[in-house]
Amino acid sequence: PLKPGRYELRIALDAAAARSGSVYTYVDVPNFAGQPLSMSGVVLSVVPPWPTAPAQGFPDLLPIVPTTRRDFAPTDRVSAFIRVYQKSNEPPQPASVKAQIADVNGRVVTSDVAALEADQFSRNRSADYRIRLPIDRLTLGEYLFSVEATRAENTARCDIRFRIANR
């Protein structure tokens, strides 16, 4: 457990003689409990899966098995998961979630709107939003999946790029 803030993550690997490498990146730990409205990043899941996560996923953290893939075949079944948070010291309020997929020209090709009622927010003031992405109805190319949550005058948004390609 880390306090909210920005951290640097450093990973080094020594695989064999003269074969090593390292990666440096930054991680933001958001203050979900202190913001009027916030949300997790988008987590994608795909069937059939590649072995990028344990077969059962991380059931204590997520209700789906995550994937790092961003290239999908038209026959893949892709789902997205987002967790929406409200400030912990206030009673939960209704919120709405709007999801859309736009092509490389910015044209919205599909969208969804869902209501999150106050009673859907758990004791930790979070509610889950899941959607199946209509990969089978999209043409080959690149897309932007955007999710926006709104509660009163507060808005949170996240985006993720993906591509439909023949394999």
Side-chain angles (χ1 to χ4, degrees):
L2 295 172
K3 293 180 182 179
R6 185 168 174 88
Y7 297 87
E8 183 177 20
L9 181 63
R10 299 177 181 190
I11 300 170
L13 176 65
D14 187 8
R19 295 192 61 137
S20 63
S22 60
V23 175
Y24 299 85
T25 190
Y26 292 93
V27 176
D28 288 316
V29 176
N31 184 4
F32 291 124
Q35 299 296 320
L37 182 74
S38 59
M39 63 184 180
S40 69
V42 176
V43 180
L44 297 180
S45 180
V46 64
V47 175
W50 281 359
T52 59
Q56 302 305 315
F58 304 96
D60 294 343
L61 299 173
L62 298 168
I64 65 172
V65 178
T67 184
T68 57
R69 287 179 49 195
R70 297 300 177 260
D71 285 1
F72 304 105
T75 56
D76 289 336
R77 293 188 316 265
V78 180
S79 298
F81 169 81
I82 297 96
R83 187 161 283 151
V84 179
Y85 296 89
Q86 294 190 23
K87 197 170 189 174
S88 63
N89 63 357
E90 296 177 355
Q93 298 178 19
S96 64
V97 176
K98 179 181 179 183
Q100 65 182 30
I101 296 175
D103 64 16
V104 292
N105 298 314
R107 184 178 62 91
V108 175
V109 295
T110 186
S111 64
D112 178 69
V113 176
L116 297 176
E117 301 301 331
D119 64 356
Q120 289 180 263
F121 286 85
S122 65
R123 280 189 283 170
N124 72 353
R125 299 295 192 265
S126 69
D128 294 349
Y129 172 75
R130 291 173 71 171
I131 186 171
R132 183 182 170 278
L133 303 185
I135 299 298
D136 57 334
R137 296 192 331 238
L138 301 175
T139 59
L140 301 181
E142 296 187 15
Y143 294 90
L144 180 68
F145 176 65
S146 302
V147 180
E148 186 174 275
T150 303
R151 183 194 92 167
E153 69 280 350
N154 300 297
T155 301
R157 178 186 171 115
C158 58
D159 304 299
I160 191 165
R161 294 181 183 275
F162 68 93
R163 184 171 69 128
I164 308 297
N166 281 329
R167 284 192 273 176

